[in-house]
Amino acid sequence: SKPFLFALSGHRDGVYSLKRHPKDVSLLASGSGDGEIRIWSAGRRETRWRATSAHRGMVRALCYGRDDRILS
């Protein structure tokens, strides 16, 4: 089996947090060491949304709220 799906090549720093959407398994959220958060479409392998200055430092954890908003 091949566990590697694709690289999250849009981040400038390392990815420290990764979370799958609870309802739509093709959506992934990632948080990097420079404070950037991105939402990815796994099927298209592209960024759907990003926040470049979500944090002053590393994004340590991500989760989805009840209204599908991403929390960090």
Side-chain angles (χ1 to χ4, degrees), residues 3-38:
F4 183 75
L5 298 175
F6 64 95
L8 302 176
S9 59
H11 286 289
R12 294 177 303 218
D13 201 345
V15 174
Y16 291 93
S17 181
L18 190 65
K19 184 68 176 176
R20 177 184 58 85
H21 191 277
K23 298 173 190 166
D24 187 356
V25 295
S26 69
L27 293 179
L28 300 170
S30 61
S32 66
D34 60 355
E36 183 180 50
I37 296 174
R38 289 183 180 237

Side-chain angles (χ1 to χ4, degrees), residues 13-70:
D13 201 345
V15 174
Y16 291 93
S17 181
L18 190 65
K19 184 68 176 176
R20 177 184 58 85
H21 191 277
K23 298 173 190 166
D24 187 356
V25 295
S26 69
L27 293 179
L28 300 170
S30 61
S32 66
D34 60 355
E36 183 180 50
I37 296 174
R38 289 183 180 237
I39 296 179
W40 300 83
S41 172
R44 293 183 179 181
R45 299 181 182 179
E46 65 185 13
T47 302
R48 293 187 63 186
W49 178 85
R50 72 181 186 145
T52 55
S53 58
H55 285 264
R56 290 187 183 180
M58 181 188 330
V59 179
R60 297 174 191 258
L62 295 169
C63 68
Y64 282 94
R66 292 181 188 206
D67 55 357
D68 290 339
R69 290 185 186 183
I70 191 75

